[in-house]
Amino acid sequence: MAAGGAARDPGHERWMRVALDQALLALEVDEVPVGAVVVHEGQVVGAGFNQPISANDPTAHAEMVALRSAARALGNYRLTGATLYVTVEPCFMCAGALVHARIATLVYGAPEPRSGAVQSVAQALDNPALNHRVSVVGGVLEAECRELMQAFFKRRRSYRQIAKAAGT
């Protein structure tokens, strides 16, 4: 399903704030600040933040970590009826994992213009060949999610400029 505009839903905002808290954990370990939580029957059953660098794992995106955590908590890799909240639009890998996990709804904050596979670069979840449909809500707390990413990359660029000026 195509990403819809973010209806002002206090429930969505509540859980997105929990995902933002996860993103801050990524920031603390100098990972790209993306956070995710899986909510099932009104409870967080899985949480994660980006950690591919620190875990030496190219699949350790926030969504994947949260899905693994939820699957362990529920004792099932099928997360039927669950909602995944993530601060940034998922990539192709993560979009595919949502389908395999049978996530009911994806709620994301900021679009990802370079690798977002739900709306920005591709509409992977709209593929008619998929055997599961994920409802999508985009733009929840978009400004806060985007500002966190922008601040991270601005800081990273300034560090590189300092290092370049110092000749290192």
Side-chain angles (χ1 to χ4, degrees), residues 26-91:
L27 192 62
E28 288 177 14
V29 295
D30 206 30
E31 295 271 6
V32 175
V34 179
V37 294
V38 177
V39 175
H40 185 261
E41 297 179 355
Q43 299 291 320
V44 172
V45 294
F49 58 88
N50 261 11
Q51 45 196 290
I53 297 166
S54 58
N56 291 313
D57 180 354
T59 69
H61 290 193
E63 301 94 323
M64 302 295 278
V65 175
L67 290 172
R68 289 178 188 130
S69 174
R72 280 190 303 273
L74 296 177
N76 194 337
Y77 75 101
R78 299 286 169 118
L79 304 174
T80 307
T83 300
L84 178 99
Y85 291 85
V86 61
T87 57
V88 177
E89 179 184 1
C91 69

Side-chain angles (χ1 to χ4, degrees), residues 39-149:
V39 175
H40 185 261
E41 297 179 355
Q43 299 291 320
V44 172
V45 294
F49 58 88
N50 261 11
Q51 45 196 290
I53 297 166
S54 58
N56 291 313
D57 180 354
T59 69
H61 290 193
E63 301 94 323
M64 302 295 278
V65 175
L67 290 172
R68 289 178 188 130
S69 174
R72 280 190 303 273
L74 296 177
N76 194 337
Y77 75 101
R78 299 286 169 118
L79 304 174
T80 307
T83 300
L84 178 99
Y85 291 85
V86 61
T87 57
V88 177
E89 179 184 1
C91 69
F92 275 102
M93 174 183 68
C94 294
L98 298 177
V99 173
H100 288 291
R102 302 299 192 266
I103 289 291
T105 305
L106 162 67
V107 179
Y108 70 87
E112 180 20 90
R114 292 182 182 207
S115 62
V118 175
Q119 178 183 23
S120 298
V121 174
Q123 293 75 42
L125 297 176
D126 291 341
N127 187 322
L130 294 176
N131 63 349
H132 175 72
R133 297 284 169 247
V134 178
S135 296
V136 177
V137 177
V140 174
L141 299 181
E142 179 177 346
E144 292 173 52
C145 295
R146 183 180 52 251
E147 287 167 11
L148 183 60
M149 292 288 284

